[in-house]
Amino acid sequence: MTGSERGAITSDVIVVGAGPAGSAAATYLARSGLDVSLLEKTKFPREKVCGDGLTPRGTKQLIKLGIDISTDNGWAHQRGLRFWAGGRHWDLDWPDLVDYPNFGVTRQRADFDQLLAENAVASGAKLYELANVTEPIIDPVTDRITGVVTKDGQRFSAPLVVAADGNSTRISIAMGINRREKLPMGVAVRTYYKSPLHDSPYIESWPELWTGKPGSRICFPAMAGSSRSATAPAMSASASSTPPRRSARSTTSRC
């Protein structure tokens, strides 16, 4: 089912959110022969706090998606995790396994998400940027979601809707699925900076940060020029289990 129906853009599947999960889902659905509408509320390239590094399990998924993860293509490779605790550190290499690569990768997030979205488009999905979904369309007879409406009033229709719109999901909230307020919530703050460890073979994890609130930090080495910077930065993200009530949207995000 493709085309336009009563002003709605119709397809076989709607994927709401062109982050890693949404773009990966759109890629596989399009490769299976379905007509896929991939909706992204912002415009690429765009930032997303948290998530600049992948372990071997995540790296394997990039390989399956057909992403070029070579260092020549701007990816940094790490052979393991450097774990800091109690004033000491341990270098833990990723294991050699038959089913997984023995290295992880890092890349600045603005590049990473765009690469996955472009891969979905190359596989046949249709990407709609600035398509900020505000609510689902619900069939009054079947009580099933049959489409979505964006902030500008555009309607998208499909028999299947995939909600990959992340932590601030409009689809889930509209369906009555809300965050459990009694559970703790983490907040991430991320920055890029120059470091002599930019070519370190290890991602660094610091699980013991006590500055009034419990938190942790992870440092991701990055390739030179993989995104905005022409120098080789290291990436740092920290998370607190009980964040302040007010935070700057441009620098913080829930993971």
Side-chain angles (χ1 to χ4, degrees), residues 90-112:
W90 295 263
D91 290 345
L92 309 174
D93 288 0
W94 304 125
D96 286 314
L97 300 174
V98 174
D99 295 332
Y100 297 95
N102 62 352
F103 63 92
V105 296
T106 58
R107 191 182 185 100
Q108 294 187 25
R109 188 63 187 267
D111 281 347
F112 177 69

Side-chain angles (χ1 to χ4, degrees), residues 162-187:
V162 178
D165 45 348
N167 188 71
S168 59
T169 172
R170 295 288 188 272
I171 301 296
S172 298
I173 292 174
M175 298 303 292
I177 303 173
N178 296 295
R179 186 177 72 86
R180 296 169 65 182
E181 298 292 338
K182 292 184 179 181
L183 296 179
M185 180 182 71
V187 171

Side-chain angles (χ1 to χ4, degrees), residues 1-223:
M1 177 177 63
T2 61
S4 179
E5 180 181 287
R6 295 182 182 178
I9 297 173
T10 63
S11 56
D12 296 320
V13 185
I14 298 168
V15 179
V16 182
S23 290
T27 297
Y28 287 120
L29 289 167
R31 287 177 181 173
S32 71
L34 296 174
D35 184 58
V36 181
S37 294
L38 177 60
L39 312 186
E40 167 58 37
K41 67 179 180 180
T42 59
K43 187 175 179 62
F44 290 108
R46 57 108 166 96
E47 280 287 2
K48 171 68 168 67
V49 176
C50 190
D52 289 282
L54 292 170
T55 66
R57 288 181 179 270
T59 302
K60 179 183 178 179
Q61 299 309 312
L62 293 180
I63 296 171
K64 290 178 65 177
L65 284 166
I67 303 294
D68 178 4
I69 58 170
S70 66
T71 54
D72 289 340
N73 195 37
W75 296 83
H77 290 196
Q78 291 82 39
R79 69 169 182 251
L81 175 71
R82 178 167 290 156
F83 188 85
W84 287 87
R88 303 173 59 191
H89 76 268
W90 295 263
D91 290 345
L92 309 174
D93 288 0
W94 304 125
D96 286 314
L97 300 174
V98 174
D99 295 332
Y100 297 95
N102 62 352
F103 63 92
V105 296
T106 58
R107 191 182 185 100
Q108 294 187 25
R109 188 63 187 267
D111 281 347
F112 177 69
D113 285 23
Q114 184 171 0
L115 282 171
L116 293 183
E118 291 173 348
N119 192 58
V121 172
S123 299
K126 298 180 182 68
L127 174 64
Y128 296 87
E129 296 178 291
L130 301 177
N132 189 0
V133 172
T134 56
E135 60 181 302
I137 299 172
I138 301 175
D139 187 307
V141 177
T142 64
D143 200 35
R144 290 177 59 88
I145 296 177
T146 58
V148 297
V149 181
T150 59
K151 190 174 183 180
D152 61 3
Q154 178 62 58
R155 296 166 69 90
F156 292 82
S157 176
L160 178 64
V161 177
V162 178
D165 45 348
N167 188 71
S168 59
T169 172
R170 295 288 188 272
I171 301 296
S172 298
I173 292 174
M175 298 303 292
I177 303 173
N178 296 295
R179 186 177 72 86
R180 296 169 65 182
E181 298 292 338
K182 292 184 179 181
L183 296 179
M185 180 182 71
V187 171
V189 181
R190 196 251 345 254
T191 188
Y192 296 98
Y193 57 93
K194 296 179 182 179
S195 169
L197 296 177
H198 70 269
D199 57 354
S200 171
Y202 292 100
I203 296 171
E204 293 200 6
S205 174
W206 301 69
E208 297 180 329
L209 293 184
W210 297 90
T211 55
K213 302 290 183 182
S216 61
R217 181 178 67 185
I218 299 180
C219 295
F220 302 101
M223 291 293 292

